[in-house]
């Protein structure tokens, strides 16, 4: 059975907040657990936040760790679609 670890994304995943979050996530790589990012709190996601998610996805693939976004709002999904990354990132919508 594959172990999973759930981390909550911050309210804003922007150029101003990505570095502390990135350091937290990178520190979890050693645990070799599949990661689920709970996006319930996310209200703002900019290009830097999306770049971070894509970078983490690429890093995790190399480490054979899966990354999933959970509780995505319709607004965040629209942002992912607009930027054409909705096909790359694994995510589930929030039940509203």
């Amino acid at each position: 059975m594959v172990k999973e670890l759930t981390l909550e994304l911050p309210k804003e995943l922007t150029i101003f907040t990505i570095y502390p979050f990135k350091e937290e996530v990178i520190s979890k790589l050693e645990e070799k657990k599949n990661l689920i990012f709970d996006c319930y709190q996310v209200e703002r996601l900019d290009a830097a936040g999306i770049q971070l998610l894509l970078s983490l996805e690429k890093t995790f693939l190399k480490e054979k760790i899966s990354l999933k976004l959970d509780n995505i709002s319709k607004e965040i999904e629209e942002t992912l679609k607009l930027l054409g990354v909705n096909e790359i990132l694994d995510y589930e919508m929030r039940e509203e």
Side-chain angles (χ1 to χ4, degrees):
M1 179 175 196
V2 178
K3 296 181 181 178
E4 295 180 341
L5 176 65
T6 300
L7 297 175
E8 288 186 12
L9 265 70
K11 190 174 185 177
E12 292 189 3
L13 194 57
T14 65
I15 188 76
F16 304 107
T17 63
I18 61 171
Y19 296 105
F21 182 73
K22 178 183 176 185
E23 295 302 315
E24 177 186 359
V25 172
I26 296 298
S27 73
K28 304 293 183 188
L29 280 176
E30 296 174 8
E31 296 181 30
K32 297 291 185 189
K33 293 180 181 178
N34 292 332
L35 285 177
I36 298 172
F37 289 157
D38 185 347
C39 303
Y40 189 80
Q41 296 187 98
V42 178
E43 293 177 2
R44 187 160 181 231
L45 178 67
D46 70 3
I50 290 173
Q51 286 175 334
L52 173 62
L53 294 174
L54 292 171
S55 174
L56 291 172
E57 173 74 16
K58 184 176 180 180
T59 300
F60 291 178
L61 281 174
K62 288 179 186 176
E63 298 290 326
K64 296 185 173 45
I65 298 172
S66 71
L67 170 66
K68 181 178 179 181
L69 305 176
D70 198 18
N71 291 317
I72 293 285
S73 68
K74 289 182 187 261
E75 293 82 11
I76 299 298
E77 182 187 37
E78 289 302 317
T79 301
L80 297 176
K81 285 181 178 179
L82 182 66
L83 296 172
V85 299
N86 60 310
E87 298 291 326
I88 298 170
L89 296 171
D90 181 20
Y91 66 90
E92 283 194 28
M93 297 294 296
R94 175 185 310 166
E95 290 183 24
E96 295 187 35

